[in-house]
Amino acid sequence: MDIDTIPNFLAEQRDAAPPDLQHHFISFEDFWERKLWHQLTDVLVEYFEHPESSPQRIPLYKTFVSSFADKINQLKLVTLGLSAASQCKDDQERLTFLTSLVEKVNKPASQDAFVYATVAVASVKLHLDDAAGARKELDQAERILDSFDSVETVVHAAFYRVNAEHFHAEQNFASYYKNALLYLACIDLSTLTPAERESRAYDLSVAALVSDAIYNFGELLLHPILDSLVDTPHAWLRELLFAFNRGDLAAYDVLAGNVAKAPLLEQRKSDLYQKISLSALTELVFRRPPHDRAMTFATISHETKVRPDEIEHLIMKALSLGLLRGSIDQVAEVARINWVQPKVLDMRQIDNMRLRLRGWDSSVNQLGNWIEGVGQDVWAA
């Protein structure tokens, strides 16, 4: 568009804007005429954030912003482009729009903006059921991200969000869990709506439970996102996670009736039982002092409530997964454990540790008194 017609274009757009937003156009024209690109970019971003600006985003971007696109911060250019793209009539039009944006910012000096736009293209391809295309875009973005010493948090957040969506669609639960938590680490939870927080918490909880690679829920149990399930129809899922963490088979039996409410959990009900049995085993080992971790199969069965015929296989599974280290005497039916994987503790588990520390302190005092008594005159005052 000819720059001489820009003032007329802005005047037309100002008249079409809601009355309470029209003052922005005075700033647009003022900063544009004075070539104050930084200030102009900031007021445009502010304007585009208003929901009422939605009908004007595409014309403003295509006609006005594009006329000075190479003069402003390219990351903010992509931010404006993403806001405009949200108003495209369908995903195909949005893909064309964003692909053009990617080409515009694909320069050596603006690779962060290129990644940000590329991730947006991947998101649209996911919506168009082009999983392979989305994966290609995400892999390219990841390679560039890995080469950066530092990058704006918004870029990482966008990458982790779309990467998580991709893995969720593929039912790759371990990778989804990792990327979804990384996404939450990059954002302020208050920017999500209550419904979005609840949905995130639900998906993360289900992923943690059904994944065959996740046996430690510590990061999720400590994350405030999990509180989004309190006082909702999914509150039982939060309780189930804590039951798994402490290996509480009795609590699992009480909560198991809710599993049918989550199809993914219902499909993997037998795997869930094995998973909580493993947690019960590791909890049993953790509660015992290091010198008392040689246990008979019968003892393990009695204390974990796992059936006797499943104990040997359960221990072998725990050893193979790296949850425990030790050995099994199959003839004597004894397991000797010398290490258990650390995990997040709830208050009851912390209290058990406190009691163990008190017992250790008492044993040290007794040993000291015994040495002092046996040594008698050997010990110098």
Side-chain angles (χ1 to χ4, degrees):
M1 187 175 189
D2 191 331
I3 61 172
D4 293 335
T5 62
I6 291 291
N8 292 333
F9 171 77
L10 290 176
E12 292 172 3
Q13 293 297 313
R14 182 190 65 228
D15 293 341
D20 58 332
L21 295 181
Q22 290 184 357
H23 65 279
H24 284 88
F25 287 84
I26 298 173
S27 299
F28 295 164
E29 186 169 358
D30 177 41
F31 291 141
W32 175 76
E33 288 178 345
R34 295 161 60 193
K35 296 181 171 56
L36 298 176
W37 308 121
H38 175 72
Q39 292 86 339
L40 177 55
T41 306
D42 286 345
V43 294
L44 278 165
V45 170
E46 180 186 348
Y47 181 74
F48 275 38
E49 287 175 350
H50 288 283
E52 297 87 348
S53 71
S54 54
Q56 294 175 292
R57 292 176 193 169
I58 291 178
L60 273 173
Y61 180 87
K62 288 184 174 180
T63 304
F64 184 49
V65 175
S66 294
S67 68
F68 54 85
D70 59 337
K71 297 180 175 65
I72 65 175
N73 181 293
Q74 297 297 280
L75 197 56
K76 289 186 177 180
L77 173 64
V78 174
T79 300
L80 292 169
L82 296 183
S83 293
S86 67
Q87 302 308 306
C88 292
K89 64 182 180 182
D90 56 37
D91 283 332
Q92 197 59 56
E93 181 182 313
R94 189 171 296 111
L95 180 60
T96 302
F97 182 95
L98 290 175
T99 300
S100 173
L101 179 59
V102 166
E103 293 170 356
K104 187 184 293 290
V105 297
N106 187 11
K107 307 172 213 172
S110 57
Q111 286 296 284
D112 54 346
F114 174 70
V115 169
Y116 196 20
T118 298
V119 168
V121 169
S123 180
V124 176
K125 288 186 176 181
L126 276 179
H127 293 158
L128 290 169
D129 295 325
D130 181 9
R135 184 69 263 163
K136 182 179 178 182
E137 302 289 351
L138 288 168
D139 287 343
Q140 181 183 21
E142 186 171 23
R143 285 192 297 272
I144 298 173
L145 276 176
D146 289 343
S147 70
F148 290 152
D149 291 328
S150 63
V151 69
E152 291 287 341
T153 305
V154 66
V155 180
H156 266 133
F159 172 76
Y160 291 132
R161 176 180 57 79
V162 179
N163 215 25
E165 289 174 3
H166 172 75
F167 287 126
H168 191 266
E170 288 194 332
Q171 295 198 349
N172 184 336
F173 299 110
S175 295
Y176 165 77
Y177 181 83
K178 173 187 174 182
N179 281 271
L181 282 175
L182 286 169
Y183 164 66
L184 293 176
C186 293
I187 66 167
D188 182 347
L189 284 183
S190 64
T191 60
L192 300 178
T193 66
E196 287 173 333
R197 289 196 293 271
E198 183 182 340
S199 176
R200 289 276 173 191
Y202 176 86
D203 288 340
L204 274 165
S205 300
V206 171
L209 290 169
V210 303
S211 171
D212 58 2
I214 301 173
Y215 291 88
N216 190 332
F217 311 141
E219 289 179 272
L220 180 56
L221 295 178
L222 292 174
H223 203 289
I225 192 71
L226 203 57
D227 293 335
S228 304
L229 296 178
V230 175
D231 297 327
T232 72
H234 305 307
W236 62 271
L237 197 52
R238 181 178 181 275
E239 299 304 317
L240 188 61
L241 278 172
F242 279 98
F244 266 74
N245 187 61
R246 61 179 183 267
D248 192 339
L249 279 163
Y252 173 76
D253 290 339
V254 172
L255 295 165
N258 294 291
V259 167
K261 299 176 183 177
L264 284 172
L265 297 182
E266 180 65 19
Q267 294 166 14
R268 295 166 173 80
K269 206 165 184 178
S270 60
D271 295 333
L272 289 179
Y273 180 78
Q274 183 184 69
K275 197 167 190 173
I276 196 167
S277 298
L278 286 166
S279 184
L281 173 61
T282 57
E283 177 65 17
L284 168 63
V285 175
F286 180 80
R287 288 201 308 265
R288 287 174 170 259
H291 63 270
D292 187 26
R293 289 181 175 173
M295 299 168 287
T296 64
F297 289 6
T299 299
I300 295 173
S301 177
H302 174 72
E303 295 199 26
T304 63
K305 312 305 179 189
V306 176
R307 293 194 297 271
D309 60 317
E310 297 178 349
I311 295 299
E312 183 177 347
H313 179 265
L314 187 68
I315 298 170
M316 292 174 66
K317 181 76 173 177
L319 292 171
S320 69
L321 290 169
L323 303 178
L324 302 175
R325 293 177 191 163
S327 59
I328 302 174
D329 185 334
Q330 293 174 306
V331 176
E333 293 191 338
V334 172
R336 295 181 175 85
I337 308 301
N338 52 46
W339 180 87
V340 60
Q341 185 186 72
K343 64 179 178 179
V344 170
L345 307 180
D346 61 21
M347 293 307 294
R348 190 179 72 177
Q349 292 167 317
I350 292 172
D351 188 56
N352 287 335
M353 179 173 281
R354 179 182 65 85
L355 295 175
R356 282 174 51 192
L357 286 171
R358 289 181 62 180
W360 174 80
D361 182 58
S362 176
S363 298
V364 170
N365 284 333
Q366 289 175 12
L367 179 62
N369 293 334
W370 178 81
I371 292 174
E372 186 176 349
V374 172
Q376 298 180 353
D377 295 339
V378 174
W379 306 109

